Amino acid sequence: ETGVTQSPTHLIKTRGQQVTLRCSSQSGHNTVSWYQQALGQGPQFIFQYYREEENGRGNFPPRFSGLQFPNYSSELNVNALELDDSALYLCASSSGQGNYNEQFFGPGTRLTVL
Amino acid sequence: GIQVEQSPPDLILQEGANSTLRCNFSDSVNNLQWFHQNPWGQLINLFYIPSGTKQNGRLSATTVATERYSLLYISSSQTTDSGVYFCAVVPYGGSQGNLIFGKGTKLSVKP
């Protein structure tokens, strides 16, 4: 059974640029959630995708957008990068969109915005 | 919205010692998970425990949903247990299964 994978591992961008982060869900999982973790804080929910549709969104601006593909992998896109976007971005997968499903996390992508 | 509070925020132990980490939540939950975040940032699943008690080796967890708290027990701690421990919940009745995290307990185990 393959776990959740994310790419790239690290990324450095400058303010105003755009970035795309990728996530492959664990085998058998059809739901992907994205979280942002600032230094010294707990992860915060960005959005969730279930069967290629956005299934919920946290308190993040529209310049954070996403996609889910038919194989359930997902992308997180961030436009017009700001310094405060520097963080660890975590992807989690689960089987089903409901509230009772255990979520499993990938290793994360560490984004630095200069 | 629901509040998740973890205590203590920091904990320093000698190898071999036991510890108890606490997670309080302000409202009913559908889901509660405990994670260990290693120094590289990976969140490792420890327990999925919306209620009841579970054990896995030196670790065990108990959630008392009616009293809105969960406890994580680490026995005979090892240096590899160091890292940040997070409790995360999914609020009852929510329309999406997003986890809400506490601020974590940073554990340092000294040899």
mmCIF file of all heavy atoms in Angstrom, chain A residues 20-25 32-34 47 49 66-69 71-76 91:
data_model
loop_
_atom_site.group_PDB
_atom_site.id
_atom_site.type_symbol
_atom_site.label_atom_id
_atom_site.label_comp_id
_atom_site.label_asym_id
_atom_site.label_seq_id
_atom_site.Cartn_x
_atom_site.Cartn_y
_atom_site.Cartn_z
ATOM 1 N N THR A 20 2.677 25.797 -7.797
ATOM 2 C CA THR A 20 1.797 24.624 -7.822
ATOM 3 C C THR A 20 2.440 23.508 -7.021
ATOM 4 O O THR A 20 3.592 23.150 -7.266
ATOM 5 C CB THR A 20 1.553 24.136 -9.259
ATOM 6 O OG1 THR A 20 0.878 25.165 -9.991
ATOM 7 C CG2 THR A 20 0.698 22.874 -9.267
ATOM 8 N N LEU A 21 1.701 22.986 -6.063
ATOM 9 C CA LEU A 21 2.156 21.865 -5.245
ATOM 10 C C LEU A 21 1.304 20.647 -5.582
ATOM 11 O O LEU A 21 0.117 20.777 -5.882
ATOM 12 C CB LEU A 21 2.007 22.202 -3.749
ATOM 13 C CG LEU A 21 2.583 23.538 -3.279
ATOM 14 C CD1 LEU A 21 2.394 23.703 -1.778
ATOM 15 C CD2 LEU A 21 4.036 23.677 -3.668
ATOM 16 N N ARG A 22 1.920 19.466 -5.507
ATOM 17 C CA ARG A 22 1.231 18.253 -5.924
ATOM 18 C C ARG A 22 1.157 17.208 -4.817
ATOM 19 O O ARG A 22 2.047 17.135 -3.960
ATOM 20 C CB ARG A 22 1.912 17.674 -7.162
ATOM 21 C CG ARG A 22 1.793 18.598 -8.362
ATOM 22 C CD ARG A 22 2.500 18.075 -9.606
ATOM 23 N NE ARG A 22 2.243 18.962 -10.741
ATOM 24 C CZ ARG A 22 2.919 20.060 -11.005
ATOM 25 N NH1 ARG A 22 3.918 20.440 -10.221
ATOM 26 N NH2 ARG A 22 2.621 20.794 -12.066
ATOM 27 N N CYS A 23 0.084 16.417 -4.880
ATOM 28 C CA CYS A 23 -0.162 15.408 -3.853
ATOM 29 C C CYS A 23 -0.770 14.173 -4.509
ATOM 30 O O CYS A 23 -1.725 14.284 -5.307
ATOM 31 C CB CYS A 23 -1.123 15.973 -2.820
ATOM 32 S SG CYS A 23 -1.753 14.773 -1.623
ATOM 33 N N SER A 24 -0.240 13.016 -4.179
ATOM 34 C CA SER A 24 -0.846 11.748 -4.603
ATOM 35 C C SER A 24 -1.431 11.078 -3.366
ATOM 36 O O SER A 24 -0.723 10.884 -2.369
ATOM 37 C CB SER A 24 0.190 10.839 -5.243
ATOM 38 O OG SER A 24 0.598 11.368 -6.484
ATOM 39 N N SER A 25 -2.698 10.739 -3.448
ATOM 40 C CA SER A 25 -3.377 10.169 -2.277
ATOM 41 C C SER A 25 -2.961 8.716 -2.054
ATOM 42 O O SER A 25 -2.428 8.056 -2.941
ATOM 43 C CB SER A 25 -4.891 10.255 -2.459
ATOM 44 O OG SER A 25 -5.294 9.538 -3.595
ATOM 45 N N VAL A 32 -8.975 14.267 -0.696
ATOM 46 C CA VAL A 32 -7.709 14.933 -0.391
ATOM 47 C C VAL A 32 -7.992 16.266 0.283
ATOM 48 O O VAL A 32 -8.844 17.037 -0.179
ATOM 49 C CB VAL A 32 -6.884 15.163 -1.675
ATOM 50 C CG1 VAL A 32 -5.679 16.039 -1.372
ATOM 51 C CG2 VAL A 32 -6.423 13.843 -2.260
ATOM 52 N N SER A 33 -7.292 16.526 1.376
ATOM 53 C CA SER A 33 -7.396 17.795 2.089
ATOM 54 C C SER A 33 -6.024 18.452 2.122
ATOM 55 O O SER A 33 -5.009 17.759 2.213
ATOM 56 C CB SER A 33 -7.882 17.575 3.521
ATOM 57 O OG SER A 33 -9.123 16.897 3.541
ATOM 58 N N TRP A 34 -6.017 19.766 2.049
ATOM 59 C CA TRP A 34 -4.770 20.536 2.107
ATOM 60 C C TRP A 34 -4.755 21.386 3.369
ATOM 61 O O TRP A 34 -5.784 21.986 3.745
ATOM 62 C CB TRP A 34 -4.634 21.439 0.886
ATOM 63 C CG TRP A 34 -4.300 20.722 -0.382
ATOM 64 C CD1 TRP A 34 -5.160 20.234 -1.317
ATOM 65 C CD2 TRP A 34 -2.975 20.434 -0.871
ATOM 66 N NE1 TRP A 34 -4.464 19.653 -2.353
ATOM 67 C CE2 TRP A 34 -3.123 19.760 -2.113
ATOM 68 C CE3 TRP A 34 -1.686 20.685 -0.392
ATOM 69 C CZ2 TRP A 34 -2.035 19.340 -2.864
ATOM 70 C CZ3 TRP A 34 -0.611 20.259 -1.139
ATOM 71 C CH2 TRP A 34 -0.791 19.596 -2.358
ATOM 72 N N PHE A 47 -8.535 23.589 2.058
ATOM 73 C CA PHE A 47 -9.739 23.054 1.416
ATOM 74 C C PHE A 47 -9.633 21.542 1.273
ATOM 75 O O PHE A 47 -8.584 20.942 1.513
ATOM 76 C CB PHE A 47 -10.046 23.697 0.049
ATOM 77 C CG PHE A 47 -8.870 23.914 -0.854
ATOM 78 C CD1 PHE A 47 -8.029 22.879 -1.230
ATOM 79 C CD2 PHE A 47 -8.610 25.190 -1.354
ATOM 80 C CE1 PHE A 47 -6.958 23.096 -2.068
ATOM 81 C CE2 PHE A 47 -7.539 25.413 -2.199
ATOM 82 C CZ PHE A 47 -6.708 24.377 -2.547
ATOM 83 N N TYR A 49 -11.007 18.167 -1.311
ATOM 84 C CA TYR A 49 -11.571 17.714 -2.573
ATOM 85 C C TYR A 49 -12.054 16.278 -2.436
ATOM 86 O O TYR A 49 -11.364 15.415 -1.879
ATOM 87 C CB TYR A 49 -10.546 17.812 -3.709
ATOM 88 C CG TYR A 49 -10.451 19.208 -4.254
ATOM 89 C CD1 TYR A 49 -9.631 20.147 -3.649
ATOM 90 C CD2 TYR A 49 -11.225 19.604 -5.344
ATOM 91 C CE1 TYR A 49 -9.570 21.440 -4.121
ATOM 92 C CE2 TYR A 49 -11.170 20.903 -5.822
ATOM 93 C CZ TYR A 49 -10.341 21.814 -5.201
ATOM 94 O OH TYR A 49 -10.290 23.100 -5.655
ATOM 95 N N GLY A 66 -7.431 24.903 -6.055
ATOM 96 C CA GLY A 66 -6.995 23.522 -6.159
ATOM 97 C C GLY A 66 -7.699 22.758 -7.250
ATOM 98 O O GLY A 66 -8.633 23.259 -7.897
ATOM 99 N N LEU A 67 -7.222 21.548 -7.447
ATOM 100 C CA LEU A 67 -7.806 20.625 -8.411
ATOM 101 C C LEU A 67 -7.674 19.225 -7.851
ATOM 102 O O LEU A 67 -6.726 18.924 -7.119
ATOM 103 C CB LEU A 67 -7.049 20.665 -9.743
ATOM 104 C CG LEU A 67 -7.245 21.821 -10.703
ATOM 105 C CD1 LEU A 67 -6.237 21.683 -11.844
ATOM 106 C CD2 LEU A 67 -8.667 21.832 -11.235
ATOM 107 N N GLN A 68 -8.613 18.361 -8.244
ATOM 108 C CA GLN A 68 -8.420 16.934 -8.009
ATOM 109 C C GLN A 68 -8.649 16.228 -9.329
ATOM 110 O O GLN A 68 -9.583 16.549 -10.073
ATOM 111 C CB GLN A 68 -9.362 16.384 -6.940
ATOM 112 C CG GLN A 68 -9.046 14.929 -6.563
ATOM 113 C CD GLN A 68 -9.947 14.382 -5.480
ATOM 114 O OE1 GLN A 68 -11.104 14.749 -5.375
ATOM 115 N NE2 GLN A 68 -9.405 13.488 -4.657
ATOM 116 N N PHE A 69 -7.825 15.260 -9.621
ATOM 117 C CA PHE A 69 -7.863 14.549 -10.894
ATOM 118 C C PHE A 69 -8.597 13.217 -10.748
ATOM 119 O O PHE A 69 -8.828 12.748 -9.633
ATOM 120 C CB PHE A 69 -6.432 14.356 -11.392
ATOM 121 C CG PHE A 69 -5.706 15.653 -11.597
ATOM 122 C CD1 PHE A 69 -4.823 16.132 -10.641
ATOM 123 C CD2 PHE A 69 -5.921 16.423 -12.737
ATOM 124 C CE1 PHE A 69 -4.168 17.342 -10.810
ATOM 125 C CE2 PHE A 69 -5.271 17.633 -12.920
ATOM 126 C CZ PHE A 69 -4.400 18.093 -11.948
ATOM 127 N N ASN A 71 -7.673 10.288 -10.945
ATOM 128 C CA ASN A 71 -6.967 9.272 -10.146
ATOM 129 C C ASN A 71 -6.863 9.696 -8.678
ATOM 130 O O ASN A 71 -6.151 9.066 -7.901
ATOM 131 C CB ASN A 71 -5.572 9.010 -10.727
ATOM 132 C CG ASN A 71 -4.654 10.209 -10.607
ATOM 133 O OD1 ASN A 71 -5.075 11.299 -10.199
ATOM 134 N ND2 ASN A 71 -3.407 10.037 -10.982
ATOM 135 N N TYR A 72 -7.552 10.790 -8.308
ATOM 136 C CA TYR A 72 -7.655 11.330 -6.947
ATOM 137 C C TYR A 72 -6.412 12.081 -6.483
ATOM 138 O O TYR A 72 -6.388 12.561 -5.346
ATOM 139 C CB TYR A 72 -8.055 10.260 -5.933
ATOM 140 C CG TYR A 72 -9.332 9.552 -6.291
ATOM 141 C CD1 TYR A 72 -9.409 8.173 -6.355
ATOM 142 C CD2 TYR A 72 -10.475 10.289 -6.601
ATOM 143 C CE1 TYR A 72 -10.589 7.537 -6.710
ATOM 144 C CE2 TYR A 72 -11.658 9.665 -6.965
ATOM 145 C CZ TYR A 72 -11.707 8.278 -7.011
ATOM 146 O OH TYR A 72 -12.878 7.650 -7.365
ATOM 147 N N SER A 73 -5.394 12.201 -7.342
ATOM 148 C CA SER A 73 -4.284 13.077 -6.981
ATOM 149 C C SER A 73 -4.783 14.522 -7.021
ATOM 150 O O SER A 73 -5.868 14.812 -7.557
ATOM 151 C CB SER A 73 -3.107 12.878 -7.924
ATOM 152 O OG SER A 73 -3.453 13.291 -9.244
ATOM 153 N N SER A 74 -4.007 15.431 -6.449
ATOM 154 C CA SER A 74 -4.505 16.797 -6.303
ATOM 155 C C SER A 74 -3.381 17.803 -6.455
ATOM 156 O O SER A 74 -2.196 17.479 -6.274
ATOM 157 C CB SER A 74 -5.157 16.956 -4.923
ATOM 158 O OG SER A 74 -5.596 18.284 -4.694
ATOM 159 N N GLU A 75 -3.753 19.013 -6.821
ATOM 160 C CA GLU A 75 -2.833 20.143 -6.878
ATOM 161 C C GLU A 75 -3.358 21.277 -6.015
ATOM 162 O O GLU A 75 -4.570 21.496 -5.925
ATOM 163 C CB GLU A 75 -2.702 20.666 -8.317
ATOM 164 C CG GLU A 75 -1.910 19.810 -9.237
ATOM 165 C CD GLU A 75 -1.795 20.437 -10.623
ATOM 166 O OE1 GLU A 75 -2.415 21.496 -10.870
ATOM 167 O OE2 GLU A 75 -1.080 19.859 -11.460
ATOM 168 N N LEU A 76 -2.417 22.001 -5.420
ATOM 169 C CA LEU A 76 -2.713 23.253 -4.733
ATOM 170 C C LEU A 76 -1.984 24.347 -5.487
ATOM 171 O O LEU A 76 -0.768 24.248 -5.699
ATOM 172 C CB LEU A 76 -2.229 23.189 -3.279
ATOM 173 C CG LEU A 76 -2.127 24.511 -2.528
ATOM 174 C CD1 LEU A 76 -3.490 25.151 -2.345
ATOM 175 C CD2 LEU A 76 -1.466 24.293 -1.162
ATOM 176 N N CYS A 91 -0.613 17.720 2.741
ATOM 177 C CA CYS A 91 -1.736 17.095 2.067
ATOM 178 C C CYS A 91 -2.131 15.862 2.864
ATOM 179 O O CYS A 91 -1.258 15.144 3.371
ATOM 180 C CB CYS A 91 -1.286 16.731 0.654
ATOM 181 S SG CYS A 91 -2.272 15.514 -0.190
#
